[in-house]
Amino acid sequence: MRKVAMCFSLFQFPRCRIQTLANSWQEAFPKLRGRGIYTSTFQVLGSNNHGLEGGHYRRSCKKTITTKTEGNNKSSQSNKTSIKSQISAKSTGANLNIYNNRIIEAERTQVLDLRQKISENKELAKLVTFIVFDIETTGVRRKIDRIIEIAFQDLAGGRNSTFQALVNPECNIGNSEIHGISTAMVNRADVPRMEDLIPLLLQYIKSRQKPDGFVVLIAHNARTFDVPFLCEEFSRYSYKIPQDWLFLDTLPMAREMMKSQGLKEQKVNLQALRSYFEIPVLGSAHRALADVQTLALVLQKMTFNLKLPLPDLIEKYSFSDLDLVKTKKERNSR
DNA sequence: GGCCCTCTTTAGGGCCTT
């Protein structure tokens, strides 16, 4: 019997739903079932009310130039409907671009509104789920290289607050010396591919989310590495980053903290920060879950040093995937 | 690749992620 090289766990759900989710997972991934991947140590401790809905997030822009609104934001939906009505059915390539740009702008405005609302109403920060994450990859070129390991940790803690999985990149790994993950470890039928994993990842994050709340995903160098990599993988398999996700980069936080303490020359990579805060080594460096656990502790120290309450943290350092798109466009137009 | 800093902005080097 093959074992899935993945640990996926959810919590806070009645045991009666356990079997339901396990069954749904098997139904959702017939390819995996055919390859014997769903069996054995795959650990599902519960479910929630959302079910396995990876397909719910699939973006169909390529075929229908429409996007799906997440949650119950009626204003965003009406914005898009309004925009849609302005576009002729005889759309040319040019106005298709205009349409897509307007969709992106409408979604981006919604994200800005979200951050502004939190800034104005500090109580909304209570609805945030903070999740630290990290990826290991076959290299640093997001268009070419692939994710081979991913880990998440909900900072609220509690039972089963982590998600960790190896990913089958379906290619050879040339940088095993960095993270210790070899081709033989992941390039095998019983390790899920990113395409298989995204629905589980979405389900895990949804399970940690508060009702009507949103998520802030935190990583070190998130803006230029982890988030673009994640977005690239989502896009590769026609998935959309949910609109109730924000991202937070701890790298500029670390630079600002060091600067404020007169240590401008101090290195701010994760291992240097671990040493600076005298955090003990947690597992193997450059393995996703170990780095996540380290960053969680570093973040705690940094927010204390910077005297940053959560709403200010979000307002100052968070961004959305759409911000990255706009930044790139602005840069290209210069 | 993007951000930050400086010997700067008409640029270049170093850092950060794997």
Side-chain angles (χ1 to χ4, degrees):
Chain A
M1 184 177 289
R2 295 176 177 180
K3 292 183 178 179
V4 60
M6 173 171 57
C7 174
F8 173 49
S9 53
L10 305 174
F11 86 126
Q12 293 178 333
F13 304 105
R15 199 159 183 82
C16 62
R17 296 191 65 85
I18 293 174
Q19 191 58 36
T20 303
L21 180 63
N23 290 341
S24 300
W25 189 83
Q26 291 174 23
E27 289 164 10
F29 302 107
K31 288 180 187 173
L32 290 182
R33 183 172 51 191
R35 296 153 77 184
I37 292 177
Y38 68 97
T39 57
S40 185
T41 59
F42 181 78
Q43 188 181 8
V44 179
L45 299 178
S47 177
N48 66 359
N49 296 327
H50 305 287
L52 270 174
E53 53 189 0
H56 180 63
Y57 291 98
R58 280 188 180 272
R59 190 203 294 264
S60 53
C61 289
K62 290 176 185 172
K63 295 178 182 175
T64 64
I65 62 163
T66 59
T67 55
K68 205 168 195 171
T69 300
E70 303 299 337
N72 298 319
N73 193 314
K74 293 178 181 175
S75 62
S76 170
Q77 190 66 57
S78 65
N79 280 345
K80 291 175 190 175
T81 306
S82 171
I83 293 166
K84 201 172 181 178
S85 66
Q86 295 171 30
I87 306 297
S88 161
K90 299 176 182 177
S91 298
T92 64
N95 58 27
L96 278 177
N97 283 336
I98 292 169
Y99 174 82
N100 283 329
N101 287 342
R102 287 182 179 178
I103 288 290
I104 289 171
E105 195 55 38
E107 291 177 339
R108 187 171 174 275
T109 300
Q110 190 182 359
V111 173
L112 287 174
D113 288 347
L114 181 62
R115 274 174 289 186
Q116 190 172 353
K117 281 176 185 171
I118 293 169
S119 167
E120 291 168 357
N121 181 1
K122 312 292 186 191
E123 290 298 302
L124 288 178
K126 293 177 181 173
L127 294 176
V128 182
T129 298
F130 290 96
I131 296 177
V132 176
F133 80 105
D134 186 50
I135 57 173
E136 303 303 321
T137 67
T138 57
V140 293
R141 303 156 302 177
R142 65 174 177 270
K143 292 285 184 187
I144 300 169
D145 292 310
R146 306 298 298 272
I147 293 175
I148 52 174
E149 188 178 41
I150 191 162
F152 296 84
Q153 181 179 350
D154 183 346
L155 293 183
R159 191 180 172 204
N160 303 313
S161 56
T162 60
F163 176 110
Q164 183 270 331
L166 286 170
V167 185
N168 182 350
E170 298 182 300
C171 64
N172 288 329
I173 297 172
N175 61 344
S176 298
E177 73 283 0
I178 301 283
H179 38 60
I181 300 171
S182 66
T183 303
M185 285 170 66
V186 293
N187 210 347
R188 37 194 287 175
D190 58 353
V191 175
R193 300 164 303 173
M194 200 64 201
E195 183 178 13
D196 305 319
L197 202 59
I198 289 173
L200 297 176
L201 184 160
L202 289 165
Q203 172 64 16
Y204 160 75
I205 291 177
K206 201 79 179 171
S207 78
R208 308 301 300 188
Q209 213 165 335
K210 300 175 178 74
D212 297 322
F214 58 97
V215 177
V216 176
L217 290 161
I218 304 161
H220 200 56
N221 203 17
R223 183 177 285 274
T224 58
F225 186 75
D226 298 80
V227 174
F229 244 104
L230 195 64
C231 290
E232 191 68 33
E233 292 280 17
F234 268 59
S235 173
R236 185 171 287 128
Y237 299 112
S238 301
Y239 281 89
K240 179 186 174 186
I241 300 289
Q243 285 185 13
D244 46 12
W245 287 14
L246 288 174
F247 299 97
L248 195 147
D249 191 346
T250 50
L251 183 58
M253 281 179 68
R255 285 182 173 138
E256 183 174 329
M257 186 201 70
M258 292 302 182
K259 193 176 174 183
S260 72
Q261 299 186 2
L263 299 169
K264 207 159 53 177
E265 300 301 317
Q266 170 75 35
K267 284 186 176 292
V268 289
N269 63 57
L270 188 57
Q271 298 314 314
L273 291 170
R274 184 187 58 71
S275 298
Y276 179 79
F277 288 119
E278 299 180 338
I279 295 168
V281 177
L282 303 166
S284 306
H286 285 302
R287 286 300 299 265
L289 189 56
D291 284 356
V292 158
Q293 290 169 335
T294 299
L295 183 58
L297 294 173
V298 166
L299 177 67
Q300 185 184 29
K301 301 274 189 184
M302 285 201 299
T303 50
F304 180 79
N305 277 16
L306 289 168
K307 297 180 175 58
L308 267 176
L310 295 182
D312 294 352
L313 185 71
I314 295 167
E315 186 181 2
K316 193 166 184 180
Y317 294 106
S318 72
F319 61 96
S320 74
D321 58 313
L322 299 172
D323 289 331
L324 298 183
V325 174
K326 182 168 186 187
T327 304
K328 194 171 183 179
K329 280 187 176 177
E330 286 171 347
R331 198 166 35 250
N332 291 339
S333 67
R334 285 173 198 160

